[in-house]
Amino acid sequence: MRRAVEYFSAHGFGVGTRELAKHIGVAQPLLFHYFGSKDKLVERVYREVFFYRWNPEWEELLIDASKPLDERLIIYLEDYTRTILSNDWIRLMVFAALDDPSLNKHYISLLHERIFKPVLREIRASKKMPPEPTEIDLELFWGFHSSFFYMGVRQWIYRMEVPDDLTRLIRAHVHNFLFGFHQTLAAGLTCPSEV
């Protein structure tokens, strides 16, 4: 599986099975014997890289109100960022989006339901607001959260340097987001407009 991940992350999911089998070091018929089809192999690679690396402890941490929210977000993002800032994770996420966006939709849904919404509900409840996040709340959190993915894009797609001190950067991002988001909520800017 590691060699398939390596090959797809270098060349994308559009490669032929003959080249893939050669890289893995097996005959093409053997590849079909074990996986049935290229699509099933792609799904297996996707599960291996994204869902097997998903840490359920992130979800538990983020709803643990015994610690301040900023502390929980920092701990979560330090671990999450270490998980995603790898060549295979970033490149396969981009290739999957270009090749078949349905592959990424399940992962993005997981982020929305198990990470974004619980955090936003807690923030809204702390402001005595209805707990269900608005569309704008979700967009603001999406922008904040995706900045860590974008560091990986800079590193593994654009081949640019990223900051060495991720902990300090994450702390700054978290404090910036929470301060700005609290101000945005106080100003009523995420509320649905009255027509």
Side-chain angles (χ1 to χ4, degrees):
M1 187 55 54
R2 182 185 58 78
R3 303 239 9 197
V5 167
E6 181 183 274
Y7 196 73
F8 282 134
S9 67
H11 303 286
F13 291 114
V15 296
T17 54
R18 182 172 288 123
E19 297 86 8
L20 176 61
K22 184 178 176 185
H23 178 79
I24 293 173
V26 298
Q28 188 179 17
L30 194 58
L31 196 65
F32 287 108
H33 172 74
Y34 282 109
F35 296 101
S37 70
K38 181 183 167 190
D39 287 343
K40 288 184 179 169
L41 174 59
V42 167
E43 287 173 20
R44 173 74 189 278
V45 163
Y46 198 84
R47 278 195 319 271
E48 183 87 21
V49 173
F50 300 105
F51 295 105
Y52 293 170
R53 295 182 193 179
W54 181 272
N55 186 349
E57 291 176 9
W58 297 335
E59 301 166 49
E60 296 167 21
L61 167 71
L62 288 173
I63 61 170
D64 176 9
S66 69
K67 294 182 176 120
L69 180 58
D70 62 336
E71 187 180 318
R72 286 179 271 151
L73 277 171
I74 290 165
I75 294 167
Y76 157 69
L77 285 166
E78 285 177 336
D79 194 54
Y80 180 76
T81 303
R82 274 192 293 275
T83 299
I84 70 166
L85 282 185
S86 66
N87 180 59
D88 61 345
W89 200 102
I90 296 296
R91 292 181 62 84
L92 288 174
M93 181 62 78
V94 172
F95 280 131
L98 294 171
D99 188 56
D100 181 2
S102 67
L103 286 170
N104 289 356
K105 285 183 180 175
H106 181 62
Y107 187 84
I108 290 168
S109 174
L110 198 62
L111 281 175
H112 271 250
E113 294 304 317
R114 298 190 183 174
I115 304 297
F116 296 13
K117 286 183 178 179
V119 170
L120 290 169
R121 285 182 186 122
E122 180 175 335
I123 295 171
R124 291 179 63 81
S126 75
K127 296 290 185 187
K128 309 278 191 271
M129 301 178 83
E132 204 51 38
T134 67
E135 184 178 72
I136 293 175
D137 293 341
L138 287 164
E139 281 299 314
L140 291 173
F141 198 86
W142 182 247
F144 159 67
H145 196 272
S146 65
S147 65
F148 302 98
F149 167 73
Y150 185 66
M151 281 194 310
V153 170
R154 286 185 1 231
Q155 183 176 13
W156 298 109
I157 305 292
Y158 300 154
R159 305 296 182 188
M160 297 171 64
E161 295 293 319
V162 296
D164 289 331
D165 191 349
L166 285 179
T167 299
R168 187 171 174 203
L169 179 65
I170 288 167
R171 287 180 184 280
H173 265 296
V174 167
H175 289 289
N176 186 53
F177 171 75
L178 289 176
F179 177 79
F181 192 70
H182 283 292
Q183 296 300 313
T184 301
L185 286 178
L189 297 175
T190 74
C191 299
S193 60
E194 308 263 331
V195 180

